[in-house]
Amino acid sequence: MAPNSIHWFRKGLRLHDNPALQEAIRGADTVRCVYFLDPWFAGSSNLGVNRWRFLLQCLDDLDSNLRKLNSRLFVIRGQPANVFPRLFKEWKISRLTFEYDSEPFGKERDAAIKKLAMEAGVEVIVKISHTLYNLDKIIELNGGQPPLTYKRFQTLISRMDPPEMPVETLSNTIMGCCVTPVSEDHGDKYGVPSLEELGFDIEGLPSAVWPGGETEALTRIERHLERKAWVANFERPRMNANSLLASPTGLSPYLRFGCLSCRLFYFKLTDLYRKVKKTSTPPLSLYGQLLWREFFYTAATTNPRFDKMEGNPICVRIPWDKNPEALAKWAEAKTGFPWIDAIMTQLRQEGWIHHLARHAVACFLTRGDLWISWEEGMKVFEELLLDADWSVNAGSWMWLSCSSFFQQFFHCYCPVGFGRRTDPNGDFIRRYLPILRGFPAKYIYDPWNAPDSVQAAAKCIIGVHYPKPMVNHAEASRLNIERMKQIYQQLSRYRGLGLLASVPSTHNGNGNGMAYSPGEQQSGTNTPAPAVSGGSSGNRSGSILLNFDSEEHQGPSGIQQQQQQQLGYHHMPDTGHNSRLYKCNVSHDMAGPQHSGHLLHTGGSVTGKRERESERELDGEDDTLSTSHKLQRQIAEVTSVHATSGNQSSMKS
Amino acid sequence: MKRGRSKCQSFTPSEGRKKRHRSVAPPYVQTGSSASQKLTEETWGNLPHHVVLHIFQHLSLVDRARASSVCRRWNDVFHIPDLWRKFEFELNQPATSYLRSTHPDLIQQIIKRHAQHLQYVSFKVDSCTESAEAACDILSQLVNCTIKTLGLISTARPSFMDVSQSHFVSALTVVFVNSKSLSSIKIDDTPVDDPSLKVLVANNSDTLKLLKMSSCPHVSPAGILCVADQCHGLRELALNYHLLSDELLLALSSEKHVHLEHLRIDVVSENPGQTQFHTIKKSSWDALIRHSPQVNIVMYFFLYEEEFEPFFREETPVTHLYFGRAVSKDMLGRIGLNCPRLVELVVCANGLEPLDEELIRIAERCKSLTAIGLGECEVTCSGFMEFVKMCGGRLNQLSIMEEVLIPDNTYNIEQIHSEVSKQLGRIWFPDMMPTW
């Protein structure tokens, strides 16, 4: 008997290049395409109206395209785990297909459904089509760990076979004699809900700048490629005032919801490149937008804590400030910096902002100005940004806040200068912050510096009609650069609760870079410059630049270990005040020369075992850094127990 | 339990220290001697003291605390002064920080049992004033100690600045007066003042080697001069530009003074155009370099473009330069002319014109330049290649944001990557940011 199939849509909201959907149809009697408005995605209330609308439009489009094939979309209210068993029975299902979800929670959910299906005697077929590659293969190629730098990722990719070709679009031919039983009351039972039905107030809601759906996505990709062909330039376009605005060739939300297949995009780009350039091998940079996404999916797929700082093995722990008022000002576009506020307004209104604009607001919130946790920013983006995907959103925030992936942190985007460089005239500001319309270009990025007469003429008094800047950027960035340095210095050397360990300003591993206080016993070796700053490295010790060099360091080990290696001896802190100060602490006699020596020699000669150990040590350190109350209490308990333990044991014995 | 006890006993055999005898179990719990012999070989409790200590030195406090509950012997080791030489107090409030604080009981334990052992102490406080005040309270209890290294670190905002000055100063001077052998002090962003520095000098002038006090607004040039005059062992100093004077440089260059190794200067302006920056005489810089030829002079600039006027008009022996805000082409041009000792240059932002000429001049004249970082600037690919060729292999740090490089007829980004890699003899890429 030919099977009855269900294809389960989650992402991958399309009929083109949908291999799992084809599997559902292959040789089947019936197929039903279902979508759950489930708590894993749809049910969570922290999605904004734009994201909901985009999703519903995708579903509408999917339904209308299925109708053309005499089929329908079944939108099912409920949770998959609860509803599937009933559907399996009711529809006599023997095959379930869906697209592979690489994200940890998706994997967990899918594993549960698979189990459930198997118990019901339903065959499950899963196909990869949301990413270009099988991410597990990339990880395997990297020795079992996800690559943690984009360069390393590129290297791995270049060693792999090109992605698989997209499969054919679903058509009547492919459908063959496979049908979808549709009941009279389909619309009532399984129709796509409206925004009102979901409880949104849509009065005054402007029409969507980014309409959802596969049909729109396919129109856009054609326009996108036409434009590329027209400019015949395959490099990343330089940013200008125009690129800040939503473009009818923009694709990111469509890739996010899978209205557009990344593989289709990949191969269309390749074809076009070959046609225009007449060469056969396009550079990897051609696929930048796709590969970054792939990079973050890879980094996240085995890390359920990818969207957290605590307990996330690749995330540097940074003592972010908790400041709900400041966070609200940022999220609600009331920072007093027109550049930041205009971007945040655009994000809220339209659901999309240019990637450099994302850099600007993310830097401002985190390491640049407000020193607020990237997790908070990520949540706001999760609510507002159409293309925010769990992996890509968290990964990008970690990146932009310098919490992972080894970037330099020396540069903070200036909330005044960056905008002015991009859009000197300030039209972007005037579009999204009409209150500032009257300001001349000269002052539109820093209206608080405008003379009273200018403010009066603009009919906008700063501090009355538009807020004063919430921080002094120069001062904040000075402080924050110092904080960052402090953190990276500690990372490089820090062991145990001692923190007191910091960056070695020495390459000569014997621990005598220990400089001042503790060096007492060795004061002989410790005199002038070379001893202190470690000979050859002496001239580096004022540096703020981190040396995360290249490939060799991107071994299979975890990030902390790499951080240790890389920061450990390449990164020279600033004048070393810190470093020296803390170095003292590490390198004092107790730490022992082997210890520091080891660190300084880790290079590549470390055995796997040792690497694991150092990872663990750093994990432990994270624990102590966090000094979770529980642990602390334990210590306190332990110590206090021991204070009296002499007594106890003597009593016992 | 029985086995445990008999183990304990069997560990002690030859060493026979008094302490350990207390843990010897009464005879009735002992099993046959052959059995206990076996157990001896299997157990950890009889590791020699110094071995346990050695292991403990590699453990975090948490792990040490856990390990110390294994047996009394390990617990003895837990309290060995050596293990309490360094401590970091973390003081945070739940409302302002995601991080937890050092437990109050533990703090009390340390003050009671280990204060006299502390040598390397730091305080990390969050943005809340209470945390900074708590740090001051602990400081003022450190009466019986010989601290060598003291660090006061604000992890988010400079919250020590919110503590009343008298509270802060009295707490700090407790340590200054009692320790008498302070060697390294980091008190950036605190309300430390001239009188407290005097106390520092009066008690620690022979030992002080490092003083980091950027952004301490209550210190005057005279206050820091007093430190330089009397602490002849001072090798590292960090301060703001307004404290830097000709007299200070001369004091640091006096015959009695050891060679200075690091001098870090923050040049900060709070209100655009309102701060007038003084100049330092070339003769003062020259004196410093004559006295300390190896000294690193690190300058961090957070100025508005128009405020750069007084800087680098004459030869300046700066080695590391960081421009946190936009800096003019003109200024970068002067750096090429007047900073022959320059080792590292970081430019976070600049105007819209390419910096080709300026970079090439820097490559030409700054022969020690080994590191450069460029943020929001522009350089043509050809200009950049020229710069890299002139510097060649000595550039061991080349951190250039991708957007900085403007492709031209000679090179596009791909070509730049391979050409620069060729010049440097290693794989090089511009710094990329996610396209997202």
Side-chain angles (χ1 to χ4, degrees):
Chain A
M1 198 185 98
N4 296 313
S5 304
I6 290 181
H7 175 73
W8 178 19
F9 277 111
R10 297 93 62 89
K11 289 170 188 171
L13 301 176
R14 61 173 184 262
L15 301 186
H16 72 275
D17 186 29
N18 195 333
L21 176 57
Q22 295 215 344
E23 287 300 321
I25 291 155
R26 188 189 308 275
D29 248 359
T30 66
V31 65
R32 289 177 179 88
C33 295
V34 304
Y35 186 91
F36 287 90
L37 283 180
D38 76 338
W40 288 93
F41 170 64
S44 59
S45 57
N46 55 356
L47 300 188
V49 65
N50 278 324
R51 288 198 67 175
W52 273 106
R53 174 163 62 183
F54 192 92
L55 171 69
L56 297 183
Q57 288 173 343
C58 291
L59 298 180
D60 269 330
D61 187 58
L62 209 49
D63 188 39
S64 70
N65 288 335
L66 282 167
R67 275 178 204 240
K68 291 175 196 157
L69 303 171
N70 291 317
S71 179
R72 288 298 296 268
L73 178 70
F74 293 70
V75 177
I76 293 166
R77 282 77 168 164
Q79 297 184 33
N82 298 340
V83 184
F84 264 130
R86 180 168 63 75
L87 296 184
F88 292 156
K89 261 191 221 145
E90 200 177 308
W91 295 340
K92 301 192 171 53
I93 296 302
S94 51
R95 186 190 293 165
L96 171 66
T97 66
F98 50 83
E99 179 182 61
Y100 178 71
D101 185 342
S102 68
E103 298 186 334
F105 294 104
K107 288 200 283 191
E108 203 180 310
R109 172 201 58 204
D110 292 351
I113 298 296
K114 257 189 204 165
K115 185 160 170 275
L116 210 143
M118 266 151 61
E119 282 163 8
V122 175
E123 173 198 16
V124 177
I125 301 176
V126 183
K127 290 283 177 184
I128 294 173
S129 51
H130 192 65
T131 53
L132 293 170
Y133 298 90
N134 179 342
L135 306 180
D136 295 335
K137 288 256 164 65
I138 300 174
I139 292 174
E140 197 186 307
L141 194 62
N142 197 40
Q145 300 258 355
L148 288 171
T149 67
Y150 185 62
K151 284 168 208 164
R152 175 72 191 162
F153 175 79
Q154 286 180 310
T155 309
L156 295 169
I157 292 299
S158 62
R159 282 193 225 146
M160 293 176 68
D161 294 333
E164 280 176 40
M165 293 290 284
V167 302
E168 234 179 303
T169 303
L170 191 63
S171 61
N172 278 317
T173 327
I174 293 176
M175 284 294 275
C177 46
C178 177
V179 296
T180 304
V182 178
S183 63
E184 289 288 308
D185 57 353
H186 183 93
D188 293 341
K189 274 167 87 176
Y190 303 119
V192 178
S194 66
L195 276 173
E196 294 103 306
E197 279 172 69
L198 293 178
F200 283 99
D201 181 11
I202 57 159
E203 210 180 292
L205 186 69
S207 66
V209 177
W210 298 83
E214 179 183 13
T215 310
E216 172 74 18
L218 293 173
T219 318
R220 278 171 178 258
I221 190 172
E222 290 313 320
R223 275 200 296 250
H224 185 97
L225 296 166
E226 272 166 30
R227 188 153 147 194
K228 272 223 156 66
W230 173 252
V231 295
N233 176 4
F234 293 92
E235 301 202 353
R236 189 194 277 193
R238 293 193 76 77
M239 190 182 183
N240 58 38
N242 226 358
S243 43
L244 289 171
L245 303 179
S247 153
T249 63
L251 299 174
S252 60
Y254 303 91
L255 288 165
R256 150 68 182 89
F257 284 87
C259 307
L260 175 64
S261 152
C262 58
R263 300 191 295 196
L264 181 73
F265 186 24
Y266 183 96
F267 284 101
K268 287 205 175 232
L269 273 176
T270 311
D271 289 347
L272 181 68
Y273 187 89
R274 287 184 179 151
K275 217 156 69 190
V276 174
K277 292 277 182 177
K278 313 262 192 292
T279 52
S280 55
T281 42
L284 273 183
S285 61
L286 179 66
Y287 312 109
Q289 190 182 355
L290 288 173
L291 293 184
W292 274 107
R293 170 178 176 275
E294 202 85 356
F295 170 67
F296 288 125
Y297 281 127
T298 313
T301 183
T302 54
N303 181 357
R305 306 282 298 174
F306 193 70
D307 63 338
K308 307 266 189 310
M309 177 172 84
E310 294 293 341
N312 179 351
I314 69 159
C315 182
V316 177
R317 298 183 81 260
I318 295 175
W320 302 114
D321 203 12
K322 247 191 221 173
N323 189 339
E325 294 83 29
L327 173 65
K329 282 185 184 168
W330 175 83
E332 289 159 19
K334 290 175 182 152
T335 64
F337 289 93
W339 170 237
I340 301 298
D341 292 342
I343 295 170
M344 293 305 288
T345 304
Q346 183 189 27
L347 173 62
R348 193 168 289 274
Q349 286 176 3
E350 301 177 7
W352 178 90
I353 50 179
H354 187 269
H355 71 262
L356 289 176
R358 299 174 195 205
H359 298 181
V361 295
C363 184
F364 183 85
L365 181 73
T366 59
R367 66 191 176 88
D369 291 272
L370 301 185
W371 201 252
I372 288 175
S373 169
W374 60 269
E375 287 179 57
E376 302 296 342
M378 177 191 71
K379 286 177 205 158
V380 172
F381 272 30
E382 167 87 19
E383 176 195 346
L384 300 177
L385 188 66
L386 291 174
D387 59 46
D389 219 344
W390 187 79
S391 309
V392 182
N393 193 23
S396 304
W397 273 96
M398 269 190 276
W399 184 291
L400 297 172
S401 63
C402 289
S403 295
S404 193
F405 307 118
F406 310 111
Q407 325 82 305
Q408 299 288 343
F409 56 77
F410 71 80
H411 163 245
C412 293
Y413 289 102
C414 173
V416 173
F418 184 32
R420 194 175 270 155
R421 287 169 55 83
T422 309
D423 175 22
N425 199 29
D427 293 335
F428 177 73
I429 307 285
R430 291 189 192 90
R431 180 183 178 118
Y432 291 101
L433 301 176
I435 183 82
L436 297 175
R437 217 169 252 168
F439 277 96
K442 183 169 187 234
Y443 292 111
I444 196 152
Y445 286 96
D446 55 347
W448 61 90
N449 284 331
D452 292 346
S453 58
V454 175
Q455 297 188 24
K459 296 196 181 62
C460 175
I461 307 303
I462 301 307
V464 179
H465 306 108
Y466 179 77
K468 289 182 175 162
M470 65 185 292
V471 287
N472 176 341
H473 172 70
E475 177 66 4
S477 59
R478 178 189 75 80
L479 285 167
N480 293 344
I481 281 278
E482 285 301 309
R483 311 273 173 267
M484 262 312 169
K485 248 184 341 191
Q486 177 107 34
I487 288 149
Y488 274 81
Q489 283 165 16
Q490 282 177 27
L491 260 180
S492 64
R493 197 64 182 279
Y494 169 61
R495 272 296 194 280
L497 202 83
L499 144 233
L500 304 172
S502 225
V503 162
S505 349
T506 164
H507 282 205
N508 63 356
N510 60 10
N512 75 0
M514 53 170 68
Y516 307 130
S517 17
E520 248 94 86
Q521 295 123 321
Q522 316 192 9
S523 50
T525 60
N526 200 8
T527 33
V532 170
S533 21
S536 62
S537 64
N539 55 359
R540 303 276 313 114
S541 56
S543 171
I544 191 181
L545 293 174
L546 304 179
N547 187 349
F548 309 120
D549 254 350
S550 62
E551 314 285 305
E552 306 85 72
H553 289 291
Q554 310 312 327
S557 39
I559 192 170
Q560 291 113 325
Q561 196 256 337
Q562 292 184 12
Q563 276 168 344
Q564 208 178 354
Q565 285 188 7
Q566 301 188 354
L567 298 167
Y569 28 104
H570 296 302
H571 162 227
M572 299 329 311
D574 82 296
T575 20
H577 314 110
N578 259 341
S579 59
R580 215 124 289 123
L581 180 67
Y582 295 115
K583 195 173 34 168
C584 305
N585 308 307
V586 217
S587 49
H588 62 85
D589 34 353
M590 306 164 22
Q594 307 92 314
H595 195 103
S596 29
H598 160 70
L599 263 176
L600 294 163
H601 290 142
T602 10
S605 60
V606 201
T607 65
K609 179 161 174 289
R610 182 61 224 181
E611 284 172 17
R612 277 192 303 277
E613 279 169 16
S614 33
E615 266 169 66
R616 212 177 313 127
E617 280 172 63
L618 270 169
D619 282 342
E621 149 203 338
D622 273 357
D623 275 347
T624 42
L625 252 182
S626 77
T627 46
S628 78
H629 243 134
K630 211 174 99 202
L631 290 179
Q632 282 293 351
R633 207 170 304 123
Q634 278 175 349
I635 298 175
E637 278 165 15
V638 170
T639 44
S640 64
V641 164
H642 286 295
T644 55
S645 64
N647 249 338
Q648 289 173 355
S649 38
S650 61
M651 278 165 66
K652 272 185 203 160
S653 55
Chain B
M1 194 66 216
K2 275 186 185 176
R3 285 185 73 223
R5 222 146 271 288
S6 63
K7 270 185 209 169
C8 257
Q9 193 211 11
S10 56
F11 304 149
T12 29
S14 52
E15 269 192 57
R17 281 215 225 150
K18 257 186 202 163
K19 247 187 174 179
R20 221 142 286 119
H21 278 302
R22 278 195 295 146
S23 67
V24 173
Y28 60 85
V29 296
Q30 289 187 38
T31 48
S33 65
S34 60
S36 92
Q37 206 65 42
K38 254 186 194 166
L39 285 167
T40 309
E41 291 151 22
E42 289 166 12
T43 51
W44 287 87
N46 62 344
L47 285 175
H49 217 253
H50 70 275
V51 175
V52 180
L53 176 61
H54 191 76
I55 294 169
F56 272 32
Q57 282 163 354
H58 291 263
L59 298 179
S60 69
L61 178 63
V62 181
D63 291 337
R64 275 190 340 243
R66 284 187 190 136
S68 72
S69 55
V70 167
C71 66
R72 302 193 44 198
R73 187 140 165 195
W74 287 17
N75 186 40
D76 289 342
V77 178
F78 183 76
H79 288 291
I80 284 185
D82 270 0
L83 291 171
W84 296 95
R85 290 211 179 133
K86 50 180 177 172
F87 196 81
E88 175 190 58
F89 294 93
E90 288 188 81
L91 301 163
N92 302 306
Q93 309 298 321
T96 43
S97 174
Y98 298 89
L99 306 183
R100 303 289 164 77
S101 284
T102 308
H103 196 279
D105 293 351
L106 180 58
I107 294 175
Q108 281 315 308
Q109 284 261 341
I110 288 171
I111 292 174
K112 257 195 283 176
R113 292 194 64 170
H114 297 295
Q116 74 272 26
H117 307 140
L118 292 173
Q119 295 185 343
Y120 315 104
V121 183
S122 67
F123 292 84
K124 286 171 99 183
V125 303
D126 67 1
S127 56
C128 182
T129 313
E130 281 170 47
S131 305
E133 282 170 346
C136 293
D137 290 340
I138 298 173
L139 273 179
S140 36
Q141 293 177 70
L142 298 180
V143 184
N144 275 322
C145 58
T146 49
I147 293 176
K148 293 178 176 176
T149 293
L150 175 67
L152 303 184
I153 300 158
S154 315
T155 58
R157 303 267 152 243
S159 46
F160 282 106
M161 289 304 297
D162 302 331
V163 177
S164 86
Q165 199 186 347
S166 58
H167 185 194
F168 178 81
V169 163
S170 71
L172 192 62
T173 45
V174 165
V175 178
F176 287 175
V177 169
N178 290 293
S179 278
K180 295 220 180 352
S181 54
L182 277 164
S183 166
S184 302
I185 304 171
K186 172 179 158 59
I187 42 172
D188 299 320
D189 293 298
T190 61
V192 63
D193 58 5
D194 289 358
S196 35
L197 288 182
K198 276 211 174 103
V199 176
L200 171 70
V201 170
N203 292 280
N204 301 275
S205 64
D206 294 341
T207 49
L208 190 69
K209 292 171 180 165
L210 177 152
L211 178 60
K212 193 174 178 192
M213 37 167 281
S214 299
S215 297
C216 294
H218 301 302
V219 174
S220 76
I224 188 64
L225 187 59
C226 151
V227 176
D229 270 338
Q230 295 181 49
C231 300
H232 297 139
L234 193 67
R235 298 174 186 182
E236 295 199 25
L237 180 61
L239 75 186
N240 277 36
Y241 188 75
H242 75 90
L243 297 183
L244 189 74
S245 61
D246 294 302
E247 293 78 9
L248 180 72
L249 291 180
L250 295 174
L252 292 168
S253 315
S254 83
E255 273 178 35
K256 285 174 285 181
H257 208 285
V258 300
H259 300 298
L260 193 66
E261 287 160 16
H262 288 270
L263 176 61
R264 164 160 169 179
I265 304 151
D266 278 21
V267 194
V268 184
S269 84
E270 254 118 78
N271 303 303
Q274 288 174 19
T275 323
Q276 279 300 319
F277 290 96
H278 60 285
T279 48
I280 297 292
K281 289 190 191 114
K282 183 171 181 301
S283 58
S284 312
W285 284 124
D286 289 347
L288 181 70
I289 300 302
R290 263 198 310 278
H291 181 70
S292 311
Q294 303 292 322
V295 65
N296 283 320
I297 301 174
V298 182
M299 297 182 83
Y300 276 54
F301 283 89
F302 296 90
L303 296 186
Y304 294 85
E305 280 197 39
E306 60 274 15
E307 294 170 321
F308 284 110
E309 197 49 33
F311 296 97
F312 307 118
R313 290 271 153 210
E314 288 184 296
E315 195 171 295
T316 312
V318 64
T319 53
H320 295 73
L321 268 173
Y322 174 87
F323 293 104
R325 312 200 58 182
V327 56
S328 65
K329 263 172 87 78
D330 185 39
M331 172 81 162
L332 289 172
R334 294 207 299 271
I335 287 164
L337 288 176
N338 292 326
C339 303
R341 295 179 83 231
L342 192 65
V343 171
E344 175 170 304
L345 173 65
V346 175
V347 180
C348 291
N350 172 257
L352 284 166
E353 285 170 82
L355 294 176
D356 298 21
E357 276 171 49
E358 290 73 15
L359 283 181
I360 289 166
R361 184 191 281 168
I362 286 169
E364 196 173 60
R365 316 264 304 232
C366 307
K367 297 289 188 199
S368 317
L369 188 80
T370 57
I372 187 158
L374 299 176
E376 291 161 51
C377 317
E378 290 189 358
V379 188
T380 68
C381 282
S382 303
F384 181 65
M385 265 323 298
E386 180 78 20
F387 168 79
V388 173
K389 275 182 193 156
M390 290 175 73
C391 293
R394 70 182 150 104
L395 281 180
N396 50 35
Q397 282 279 13
L398 187 57
S399 178
I400 312 295
M401 304 263 287
E402 196 181 23
E403 282 80 16
V404 168
L405 299 170
I406 306 170
D408 53 26
N409 294 331
T410 330
Y411 300 102
N412 63 29
I413 294 283
E414 288 288 321
Q415 289 159 327
I416 272 282
H417 145 69
S418 62
E419 275 299 304
V420 173
S421 301
K422 218 183 284 170
Q423 289 294 328
L424 298 182
R426 59 187 151 91
I427 302 287
W428 180 87
F429 291 93
D431 289 354
M432 278 177 279
M433 296 292 270
T435 317
W436 167 37

